[in-house]
Structure formats: structure tokens, C-alpha cells
């Protein structure tokens, strides 16, 4: 059907308004991609429709819960009036409410959690296209089952469910646990949505509930307004993302603040681990110097820790500051997996991301005085080839430097026989490693007869040229 445009005018509140999207594609070979795109567009538009149609009912549910707060016991650092203020703050232009669903269970230690599907709204509507496509209710049910023993009745946290509306990022769960004494059950009301952009940039010290947590921490430290300690705590809270401040209990935030304030060397790497009993999560906080706080290093650390923790899903929060940056990683606690703790983790992370030259100088300082350290660093830091740096551990590098120096002093080849300690190799601790240091390359076919006469059988050879063509050494 075709027609001509008769008039263009501004939308008014007197008529129902629609949005139209026009897309044009060129040189597309596969028509299947269009069909897939059509399905995705239908899914997203249906999500928008379901949310729009249920907004009024969702807000009514929010008001009902707000009215029933008198029956709930709050922890010492929170109060009913503050949660009511937070309700209003979220509802009025600070939080997108995409869906609602209540859960029911009879005891906090019971395994069975019942989804009250008939009361589900928005993208959580049991008969809606979104729920049928992604089965979000079952995902939420598993989350509720893990966290239903928590002390705090209300919680705002991030869940591993990607949004279909506004921004493609994980959604946030606003959850309220209220006991129904007449029926002898516990009702957990769950709202799903995300913070609006303007709320993320508002001042944390003026945000409901968050300012009480800040006050609780300042009072516990006896911090006087205007003092260094007071200003440092405020600085830490201003840098922290608002969703994280809302979801973490005050005592957990206090532990993190104390650990951050205990950091004395801004050029070093630090790691801290916290077991969050309320949500059954493991939080790993990594503090990096500003120079090391790069996208590449963050990806490297996250990938390494996720593999080490045996976790497929995790939540990442990056907190940039003027002199350093922080990585906050949240993992589900896995039974049988030891949490990531201790100085060993800090050492592993340093080895993972610190530049090779920085690591070399630090290790030389542990062995030699300042003059000798500078001398050896200038001599070797830029003369080892890249393939050698990638392959060899720093312990091996220091051992090689020792023998190379001995060769320079005595002006003759050096030999070293040791156990093969490359853990990732199938020959680990099964064979010996013969290392030859010389100023000229020794071809394997020349020295092979000598080695065989000594009863040594050669399986493989690795050669590294150290230094320039005019002035070099060979490690083989």
C-alpha cells in the first residue's frame, strides 16, 4: 500500500503517538540474517510493549510494599523511613521498572520456591513472548533460592540477565522479603529493571540509604568532618558506582573501605577477597596503579580469575580513580573451589600484567645492591629477545644472567645441568635440562657425538641470542 504525505506536524497529547523505524541494507547475501533480525526486532518491541502496558500496575505493587514496611525488621544501619525514601527516589525518574513477579516459600531453609506466575508483570509475564523466549522466571527462582537466607529483608543487586530495552547490559533486581504471618509463608517481591543514566551521576552522599551507610562507616571509624580520614572515605564512596553501594551491606562496604585505606604503595598491585554471605557471592577486589589500569590488563585479569575460580558467569565493576583503579569481580561461590586469597594471588597478578622490564628490576633489587642492579638492568633488560621473554620464567632469567656474567668474567663457555621445570610440558620433571652459555653458537650436530658418548640423549633444543650481532651471547 502506497500513499502521499499530506501533512507533517508536531505530536500532541490528544492523539495516540507511534514511533516508526526505517532501516535499509545493501549487498546482503544471506536472507536468513533478515529473518533472524526480524525475530529479534519483534522480541525487543514486544518487551517494550509489555513494559509500557504494565507500568501502572507495577507502580501500584511498589506502593503496596511501601505501605507494608512496618512489619519488617531492619538492620541497625538502615531504617524504614530511609527505604521509603529510596522507593520514591527510584520510582521518580531514577529507575526503569521492566517487570515484577512474587515468589513464595514456607521456610527460609526450604528447598522449594514457588513462582506466582499469575501475578507476573512486564517482561516477566508468564504468558509473554519475552519469558517464553528466555525463561527468566526460572533464572530468578535459582537466584532467590540461593539468597533467601539473607539477613536484610530488602536488596538491590545485579543479576546475569541481559536487558532487551534501553541498554544491552545486565539487569538489576529489587527484591523485598515480607513474612505473611496469617498464611505462614514468606513472600519475596521481585522487581526487575535498571538504573537510569541520570541516577548514576547523582551525588552518592545525597542518595537515600547510601548516605546512611557512609555515616555508619564514618562513625565506626570516629572520623571527624574535614579530617584526612573523613575526606578519603568520601572520595572512595564518590568513586564507587551507585548500584554497588545500594546492594552491599554496610559491614561489607566497611571492610572494603578499610582495606583500600590500608594500601600504602600506590605503585603496587593489591588483591582482597570477601565472602558475601547474604548473596552467596565471592567478591575479589584488585587495586592497580593507574599505569596498569588499562582495558587490556582488565581483560587479562578477569579472564585469569574467572578461570581460576571455575566460574562461567560473573559480574564486573570497574572503578577508575585519579591515581589508581579498582576491579571488583563477583562470582557465585562454587562448592569445592578454594576462594582466591592471599599474597600468592597478588604475585600471580603481578607476573600476569607487569611489564617484563619492571619485573626484572624488582627481582634484581632483591639480590643485588642498587649500583649492581642498575648495571645488570641496563645490560640485559633490552637485550633478551621477545620469544625468550614469553617462554622463560623470571627465576630462569636470573639464573641465565648469573651464568652469562660468569662467562663474561672468565671468557669461556659455561654449562649448567638441572631438572626440567616447565610445568605445562609433558616432560615436566621427567628429563634434565642442559644449558650451554657461549659467545658463539654451538650447532647441535657438532656437540651431539660428545653428548652421546656421555650417555646424554637429546630430545629437543631451544636457542636464544642475547644482545646485538656485534656483542652477544648464546643460550642453548
Amino acid at each position: 500500500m502506497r500513499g502521499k504525505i499530506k501533512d507533517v506536524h508536531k505530536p500532541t497529547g490528544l492523539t495516540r503517538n507511534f514511533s516508526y523505524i526505517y532501516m535499509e541494507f545493501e549487498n546482503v547475501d544471506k536472507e536468513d540474517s533478515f529473518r533472524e533480525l526480524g525475530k529479534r526486532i519483534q522480541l525487543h518491541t514486544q518487551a517494550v510493549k509489555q513494559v509500557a502496558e504494565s507500568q501502572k500496575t507495577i507502580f501500584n505493587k511498589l506502593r503496596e510494599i511501601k505501605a507494608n514496611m512496618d512489619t519488617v525488621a531492619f538492620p541497625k544501619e538502615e531504617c524504614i523511613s530511609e527505604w521509603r525514601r529510596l522507593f520514591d527516589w527510584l520510582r521518580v525518574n531514577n529507575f526503569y521498572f521492566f517487570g515484577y513477579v512474587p515468589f513464595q516459600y514456607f521456610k527460609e531453609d526450604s528447598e522449594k520456591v514457588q513462582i506466582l506466575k499469575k501475578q507476573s508483570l512486564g517482561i516477566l509475564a508468564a504468558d509473554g513472548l519475552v519469558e517464553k523466549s528466555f525463561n527468566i522466571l526460572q533464572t530468578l527462582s535459582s537466584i532467590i533460592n540461593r539468597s533467601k537466607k539473607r539477613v536484610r529483608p530488602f536488596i538491590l543487586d545485579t543479576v546475569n540477565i541481559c536487558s532487551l530495552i534501553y541498554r544491552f547490559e545486565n539487569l538489576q533486581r529489587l527484591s523485598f522479603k515480607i513474612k505473611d504471618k496469617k498464611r505462614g509463608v514468606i513472600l519475596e517481591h521481585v522487581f526487575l529493571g535498571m538504573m537510569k543514566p541520570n541516577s548514576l551521576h547523582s551525588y552518592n552522599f545525597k542518595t537515600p540509604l547510601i548516605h546512611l551507610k557512609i555515616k555508619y562507616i564514618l562513625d565506626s571509624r570516629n572520623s571527624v568532618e574535614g579530617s584526612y580520614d573523613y575526606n578519603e572515605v568520601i572520595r572512595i564512596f564518590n568513586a564507587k558506582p551507585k548500584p554497588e553501594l545500594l546492594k552491599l551491606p554496610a559491614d561489607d562496604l566497611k571492610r572494603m573501605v578499610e582495606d583500600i585505606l590500608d594500601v600504602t604503595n600506590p605503585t603496587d598491585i593489591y588483591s582482597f577477597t570477601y565472602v558475601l554471605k547474604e548473596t552467596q557471592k565471592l567478591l575479589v577486589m584488585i587495586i592497580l596503579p593507574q599505569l596498569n589500569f588499562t582495558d587490556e590488563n582488565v581483560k587479562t585479569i578477569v579472564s585469569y580469575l574467572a578461570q581460576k575460580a571455575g566460574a562461567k558467569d560473573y559480574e564486573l565493576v570497574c572503578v577508575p580513580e585519579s591515581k589508581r583503579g579498582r576491579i571488583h569481580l563477583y562470582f557465585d561461590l562454587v562448592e569445592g573451589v578454594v576462594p582466591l586469597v592471599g599474597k600468592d594471588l597478588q604475585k600471580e597478578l603481578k607476573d600476569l600484567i607487569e611489564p617484563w622490564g619492571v619485573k626484572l628490576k624488582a627481582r634484581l633489587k632483591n639480590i643485588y645492591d642498587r649500583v649492581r642492579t642498575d648495571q645488570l638492568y641496563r645490560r640485559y633488560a633490552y637485550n633478551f629477545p621477545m620469544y625468550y621473554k614469553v617462554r622463560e620464567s623470571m627465576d630462569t632469567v636470573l639464573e641465565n644472567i648469573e651464568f652469562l656474567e660468569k662467562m663474561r668474567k672468565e671468557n669461556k663457555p659455561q654449562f649448567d645441568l638441572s631438572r626440567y621445570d616447565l610445568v605445562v610440558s609433558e616432560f615436566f620433571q621427567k628429563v634434565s635440562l642442559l644449558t650451554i652459555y657461549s659467545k658463539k653458537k654451538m650447532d647441535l650436530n657438532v656437540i651431539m657425538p660428545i653428548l652421546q658418548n656421555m650417555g646424554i640423549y637429546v630430545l629437543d633444543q631451544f636457542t636464544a641470542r642475547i644482545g646485538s650481532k656485534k656483542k652477544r651471547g648464546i643460550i642453548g
Side-chain angles (χ1 to χ4, degrees):
M1 182 179 178
R2 294 184 179 182
K4 293 182 179 180
I5 298 175
K6 292 184 176 181
D7 188 22
V8 177
H9 57 83
K10 292 182 179 180
T12 66
L14 302 176
T15 59
R16 190 177 181 186
N17 300 315
F18 295 87
S19 295
Y20 289 91
I21 301 172
Y22 173 78
M23 291 182 287
E24 188 172 308
F25 302 89
E26 293 181 0
N27 302 323
V28 179
D29 297 329
K30 298 180 180 179
E31 292 187 5
D32 291 343
S33 58
F34 281 110
R35 284 191 286 271
E36 183 61 31
L37 178 63
K39 292 178 182 178
R40 293 292 302 183
I41 291 174
Q42 183 185 8
L43 192 60
H44 288 279
T45 52
Q46 185 63 29
V48 173
K49 182 174 181 290
Q50 288 177 217
V51 169
E53 291 176 347
S54 61
Q55 280 296 284
K56 186 176 180 180
T57 313
I58 289 175
F59 284 152
N60 287 338
K61 288 290 181 183
L62 203 62
R63 292 189 186 96
E64 287 178 21
I65 294 167
K66 181 181 173 183
N68 291 326
M69 281 188 180
D70 294 332
T71 61
V72 180
F74 287 82
K76 56 188 175 183
E77 73 277 6
E78 300 175 11
C79 60
I80 295 176
S81 61
E82 198 64 21
W83 267 100
R84 282 176 173 160
R85 281 188 61 211
L86 183 64
F87 268 43
D88 294 334
W89 183 85
L90 291 170
R91 183 174 57 84
V92 181
N93 207 32
N94 284 296
F95 194 85
Y96 295 118
F97 288 89
F98 294 158
Y100 162 82
V101 64
F103 293 84
Q104 177 180 287
Y105 44 94
F106 289 92
K107 294 181 180 179
E108 291 176 341
D109 58 353
S110 63
E111 295 183 2
K112 190 176 181 181
V113 174
Q114 182 183 359
I115 307 170
L116 304 182
K117 294 183 178 181
K118 291 183 179 180
Q119 299 182 45
S120 57
L121 299 168
I123 62 171
L124 298 177
D127 58 349
L129 180 61
V130 177
E131 168 57 24
K132 290 177 180 178
S133 301
F134 292 100
N135 204 15
I136 300 175
L137 292 178
Q138 284 301 323
T139 303
L140 283 175
S141 180
S142 300
I143 295 170
I144 296 296
N145 202 34
R146 286 199 306 268
S147 63
K148 62 179 180 288
K149 292 183 181 180
R150 68 179 188 272
V151 176
R152 288 194 304 163
F154 300 159
I155 189 172
L156 176 61
D157 64 354
T158 304
V159 293
N160 193 32
I161 300 170
C162 188
S163 174
L164 296 171
I165 307 172
Y166 289 116
R167 305 190 299 271
F168 295 113
E169 57 187 50
N170 283 346
L171 293 170
Q172 283 147 352
R173 168 185 66 131
L174 190 60
S175 188
F176 310 98
K177 186 171 64 173
I178 300 177
K179 293 182 180 180
D180 188 334
K181 294 181 179 179
K182 292 182 180 180
R183 297 171 54 208
V185 298
I186 298 171
L187 284 173
E188 184 142 356
H189 304 269
V190 176
F191 297 85
L192 212 58
M194 65 167 58
M195 290 281 188
K196 293 184 178 181
N198 59 294
S199 69
L200 299 175
H201 301 294
S202 62
Y203 193 36
N204 284 336
F205 203 71
K206 295 181 179 179
T207 304
L209 196 61
I210 292 178
H211 80 95
L212 276 188
K213 294 180 181 181
I214 298 174
K215 184 178 183 302
Y216 171 75
I217 293 171
L218 289 170
D219 291 345
S220 68
R221 296 180 60 84
N222 296 317
S223 300
V224 179
E225 185 174 356
S227 65
Y228 175 82
D229 187 80
Y230 180 93
N231 292 333
E232 281 297 290
V233 172
I234 298 300
R235 180 188 63 77
I236 292 169
F237 271 89
N238 282 340
K240 267 182 173 290
K242 197 172 269 80
E244 192 175 33
L245 293 175
L246 287 170
K247 78 177 179 181
L248 288 176
D251 286 326
D252 289 331
L253 287 171
K254 180 186 172 185
R255 284 192 293 159
M256 294 177 71
V257 167
E258 288 173 348
D259 286 335
I260 294 169
L261 292 175
D262 284 342
V263 171
T264 55
N265 185 358
T267 64
D268 205 352
I269 297 172
Y270 295 85
S271 68
F272 304 93
T273 306
Y274 313 89
V275 175
L276 308 178
K277 295 181 180 179
E278 183 172 85
T279 54
Q280 289 297 293
K281 296 275 186 180
L282 178 70
L283 167 59
V284 182
M285 179 173 69
I286 310 297
I287 301 178
L288 299 172
Q290 189 60 44
L291 289 174
N292 295 117
F293 193 65
T294 63
D295 290 342
E296 183 179 354
N297 281 343
V298 170
K299 288 179 183 177
T300 300
I301 290 173
V302 170
S303 176
Y304 178 77
L305 293 180
Q307 184 179 11
K308 197 174 179 68
K312 294 180 180 179
D313 298 322
Y314 55 83
E315 180 189 349
L316 170 64
V317 178
C318 290
V319 187
E321 294 183 340
S322 58
K323 295 182 180 179
R324 61 195 177 198
R326 299 199 306 274
I327 300 172
H328 299 174
L329 266 175
Y330 293 83
F331 300 107
D332 290 329
L333 285 172
V334 179
E335 190 175 348
V337 177
V338 180
L340 306 163
V341 293
K343 292 184 178 179
D344 288 341
L345 179 60
Q346 290 181 198
K347 182 179 180 301
E348 290 171 18
L349 294 177
K350 286 180 185 179
D351 291 340
L352 196 65
I353 67 168
E354 274 193 335
W356 192 87
V358 174
K359 288 187 281 188
L360 174 63
K361 194 160 192 176
R363 293 294 297 273
L364 288 171
K365 282 182 179 179
N366 294 334
I367 304 172
Y368 305 101
D369 59 35
R370 184 179 61 82
V371 175
R372 183 60 171 162
T373 294
D374 291 342
Q375 184 185 53
L376 292 175
Y377 179 79
R378 287 194 301 269
R379 186 173 294 160
Y380 293 105
Y382 303 102
N383 285 324
F384 283 106
M386 183 55 67
Y387 61 83
Y388 173 90
K389 293 178 181 179
V390 172
R391 177 185 173 92
E392 302 297 350
S393 67
M394 194 53 65
D395 289 334
T396 302
V397 173
L398 294 173
E399 189 177 291
N400 290 164
I401 289 175
E402 184 181 347
F403 278 97
L404 287 168
E405 285 298 293
K406 190 175 180 182
M407 182 185 70
R408 289 181 72 256
K409 184 178 180 180
E410 298 179 4
N411 198 26
K412 62 181 181 181
Q414 300 294 322
F415 301 87
D416 179 43
L417 184 65
S418 60
R419 298 184 70 178
Y420 191 63
D421 59 357
L422 189 61
V423 180
V424 295
S425 173
E426 59 180 311
F427 297 118
F428 175 61
Q429 294 188 346
K430 295 178 182 178
V431 297
S432 297
L433 177 66
L434 175 63
T435 309
I436 303 172
Y437 304 84
S438 67
K439 291 185 177 181
K440 295 181 179 180
K441 182 180 179 181
M442 292 184 180
D443 292 327
L444 190 60
N445 59 352
V446 174
I447 62 172
M448 183 72 80
I450 301 173
L451 296 175
Q452 287 181 342
N453 286 336
M454 296 171 62
I456 298 175
Y457 295 91
V458 179
L459 299 175
D460 198 2
Q461 179 193 31
F462 173 73
T463 303
R465 300 176 186 272
I466 312 301
S468 62
K469 290 182 179 180
K470 293 182 179 179
K471 194 175 182 180
R472 69 184 180 193
I474 305 294
I475 301 175

